[in-house]
Amino acid sequence: MGNGAVSLSQISKRFPGGTQALRDLSFSVAPGEFAALLGPSGCGKSTALRIAAGLLAPDAGTVTRDTNDIGFVFQDPTLMPWADALTNARLPLDLKHVARGEANDRTAAALKRVGLGGFEHAYPRELSGGMKMRVSLARALAAQPKLLLLDEPFAALDEITRNALGDDLLRLWREDGLTVLFVTHSVSESSFLASRVLVMSPRPGSITADLALPPGRDSRLAPATIDAQRRISAALNTALAA
Amino acid sequence: MRRAFDIALPLLLAAALLGLWEWTVAAKQIPPYVLPAPSAIARAFAENFGSLMEALLSTLTVTLEAFVAATVLGVATATLFAQSRTMERMLYPYAVILQVTPVVAIAPLILIWVGFDHINLALVIIATIVAFFPILAGTTLGLKSADFNLIDLTRLYGASRLQTLWRIRLPGALPYLLSGMKTAGGLALIGAVVAEFVAGSGTATGLAWRIVESGNRLEIATLFAALALLAFTGVLIFAALSLLEWALLRRWHESAIRQS
């Protein structure tokens, strides 16, 4: 089954328009790690994530994943508007032909874990942006993935909701021992959530810094978190100046 | 309150126009073979009630059979197009040709091919051709408008094409299909009427034939009664399909929610 490790080696990708999105991109994420892929908009980090998930084929290079149990959370909630929260979050289990009763139980539990107990039969249009994102997260968790890939999942939310969801994600990661690869353009978000930050530079996208963050970042304003922010900012500035 | 007003207003207008009509016919002494008074039309309707209902049933049967056939064929063809781009490129031009060629022009050929002893089948085929295209066009657009990320998600979980079609593409296409069905419902009725006109005397027994026959006999009041019945049927089909649309979409689709 594997433990959720993923590794990209010498990945290059050119888009049909001719833009070189990624060139010789290499990084690996160890089992149980919470890695943030940080970079400015348009640096190819989402492309890298889709390649890591196997949704996009690279032009060159190899992707090694020791598991196919992947959860994926998009920037938008990406829910089926015609289905209630339970049916939406149950989709991975339905596609894998899990028996309906068991699938309902597991999905209801996943919804409860993201704080949506009691909203099983709410339709997406009845939910707030943050709640929709929670359904999306519950859907990713319902299939009990080893590797969770997130593509700027909280970028469209307000700061209060974003922080609450970040706290939940951190808790879920600790409880489940998942491997997380989290694409973001937020220095503060990565400094608090991630155990490791991979800084990407644009055109063509490649990794320019690989920072392991020390423990002790208990809150967003803890000295260790602020210190991590300084290090990440410095690395990002170097990447952009190059 | 507003709703009652919405219903009362067109009815009031109808009453006023009918009154004006009745008065004009009487005051100007317009001959009944040119324009019969509403009261004369009502009388003709009551006198011919049995035969008009029979004619309505005949036209309605053709309309509904054609509508169902067009829906099934339209959805099936659109699904085929969604599964295979090659099929779509190959067949779509012919669907367009079928749509843009006036059905009155093809109808005689279909009548000859199917044969006058299977006249109802011929009528259904003609009406189906008329109603088919909006279903095909709507459903094709709907199946293509699926959320790409949702499709990617199903790929991630190893879904088969059939699963993706059934769980993502078809439900997403439902609003487009229903919109196509609303157009197709009216077109099926038009197709049935046109087919009856072309089929002509002795064979067809529907409302269109009653209109032709009444016109030939200068029974203009009966002609108007049949015409009114036809219009009413068209409105009823549209209303029924609107209700179906609302019932299926009211929980989730913007178009149904804004109305409430």
Side-chain angles (χ1 to χ4, degrees):
Chain A
M1 280 313 266
N3 301 304
V6 59
S7 143
L8 275 65
S9 168
Q10 304 279 302
I11 297 288
S12 291
K13 178 74 185 174
R14 187 185 285 274
F15 283 130
T19 319
Q20 183 84 41
L22 304 170
R23 181 185 292 158
D24 291 337
L25 177 84
S26 299
F27 67 84
S28 32
V29 182
E33 236 177 358
F34 193 132
L37 197 54
L38 176 81
S41 298
C43 75
K45 51 193 192 300
S46 292
T47 306
L49 193 74
R50 296 173 74 83
I51 288 173
L55 286 173
L56 204 64
D59 296 336
T62 47
V63 180
T64 321
R65 251 185 291 113
D66 68 355
T67 179
N68 276 322
D69 293 334
I70 312 172
F72 200 104
V73 179
F74 295 94
Q75 187 165 359
D76 300 311
T78 317
L79 302 176
M80 304 177 282
W82 56 86
D84 61 14
L86 186 75
T87 313
N88 261 295
R90 205 182 53 210
L91 181 69
L93 302 178
D94 285 342
L95 292 174
K96 292 183 173 185
H97 303 288
V98 176
R100 183 52 61 87
E102 190 200 334
N104 276 341
D105 291 347
R106 279 168 64 181
T107 311
L111 284 170
K112 201 163 282 167
R113 289 186 74 200
V114 299
L116 283 180
F119 286 95
E120 289 84 357
H121 300 295
Y123 280 71
R125 67 167 190 93
E126 298 163 338
L127 299 171
S128 69
M131 288 163 101
K132 278 188 264 201
M133 211 63 228
R134 285 174 191 275
V135 176
S136 191
L137 197 56
R139 177 177 60 194
L141 293 172
Q144 288 161 328
K146 296 284 196 308
L147 174 65
L148 183 58
L149 305 170
L150 304 102
D151 187 4
E152 298 191 50
F154 312 144
L157 303 174
D158 63 89
E159 192 177 353
I160 297 164
T161 314
R162 185 161 62 231
N163 288 349
L165 271 155
D167 291 346
D168 283 349
L169 180 62
L170 210 50
R171 174 176 54 79
L172 295 165
W173 168 64
R174 288 198 180 113
E175 285 173 7
D176 289 5
L178 293 165
T179 309
V180 174
L181 180 55
F182 184 94
V183 162
T184 178
H185 58 231
S186 164
V187 172
S188 61
E189 203 167 54
S190 56
S191 71
F192 176 60
L193 295 175
S195 57
R196 189 170 149 217
V197 176
L198 302 156
V199 178
M200 261 184 96
S201 74
R203 280 176 294 272
S206 56
I207 304 286
T208 51
D210 183 347
L211 310 170
L213 301 184
R217 290 162 293 130
D218 309 317
S219 77
R220 286 186 168 78
L221 294 173
T225 314
I226 305 292
D227 187 53
Q229 267 179 41
R230 257 187 227 112
R231 283 177 61 203
I232 298 165
S233 289
L236 192 60
N237 285 334
T238 314
L240 292 176
Chain B
M1 188 57 216
R2 222 198 122 75
R3 223 182 144 73
F5 204 64
D6 282 349
I7 294 169
L9 216 56
L11 286 181
L12 271 171
L13 179 68
L17 287 176
L18 285 175
L20 185 69
W21 180 353
E22 185 83 40
W23 177 82
T24 313
V25 169
K28 304 273 178 195
Q29 293 181 332
I30 298 172
Y33 55 83
V34 173
L35 183 68
S39 57
I41 295 168
R43 221 176 302 117
F45 182 73
E47 279 164 11
N48 296 295
F49 185 76
S51 66
L52 278 175
M53 281 302 135
E54 252 173 62
L56 173 65
L57 191 69
S58 165
T59 301
L60 207 55
T61 309
V62 171
T63 303
L64 291 183
E65 284 173 1
F67 177 68
V68 171
T71 305
V72 171
L73 286 174
V75 171
T77 312
T79 306
L80 183 72
F81 286 179
Q83 296 302 304
S84 159
R85 287 301 292 266
T86 315
M87 278 293 183
E88 182 179 1
R89 288 209 195 95
M90 197 164 75
L91 293 177
Y92 206 81
Y94 294 97
V96 173
I97 289 171
L98 204 62
Q99 156 75 1
V100 297
T101 309
V103 75
V104 198
I106 329 173
L109 202 56
I110 290 168
L111 282 164
I112 289 166
W113 283 346
V114 177
F116 280 83
D117 29 336
H118 300 293
I119 189 73
N120 267 325
L121 179 64
L123 298 184
V124 171
I125 290 174
I126 293 166
T128 304
I129 291 172
V130 180
F132 170 75
F133 196 75
I135 305 266
L136 172 69
T139 312
T140 303
L141 179 65
L143 290 172
K144 278 185 182 173
S145 305
D147 185 334
F148 285 129
N149 283 338
L150 267 176
I151 303 285
D152 274 350
L153 202 66
T154 62
R155 280 174 51 206
L156 205 62
Y157 293 114
S160 65
R161 286 169 83 100
L162 200 66
Q163 279 181 314
T164 307
L165 180 71
W166 182 248
R167 292 193 178 275
I168 309 293
R169 288 194 190 271
L170 278 175
L174 189 63
Y176 299 86
L177 166 64
L178 287 165
S179 166
M181 280 168 77
K182 277 208 290 193
T183 312
L187 285 178
L189 182 64
I190 292 173
V193 167
V194 169
E196 281 179 33
F197 275 141
V198 176
S201 69
T203 43
T205 50
L207 275 176
W209 169 241
R210 282 309 297 266
I211 288 174
V212 174
E213 184 194 47
S214 307
N216 291 342
R217 293 184 187 173
L218 283 181
E219 290 169 1
I220 306 301
T222 313
L223 187 153
F224 264 96
L227 200 57
L229 207 53
L230 212 47
F232 181 71
T233 307
V235 170
L236 216 60
I237 290 172
F238 186 79
L241 289 171
S242 298
L243 191 69
L244 176 74
E245 184 181 40
W246 177 81
L248 289 177
L249 301 184
R250 74 198 159 94
R251 286 305 299 268
W252 65 276
H253 200 255
E254 305 292 341
S255 67
I257 290 155
R258 278 200 203 104
Q259 287 169 6
S260 54

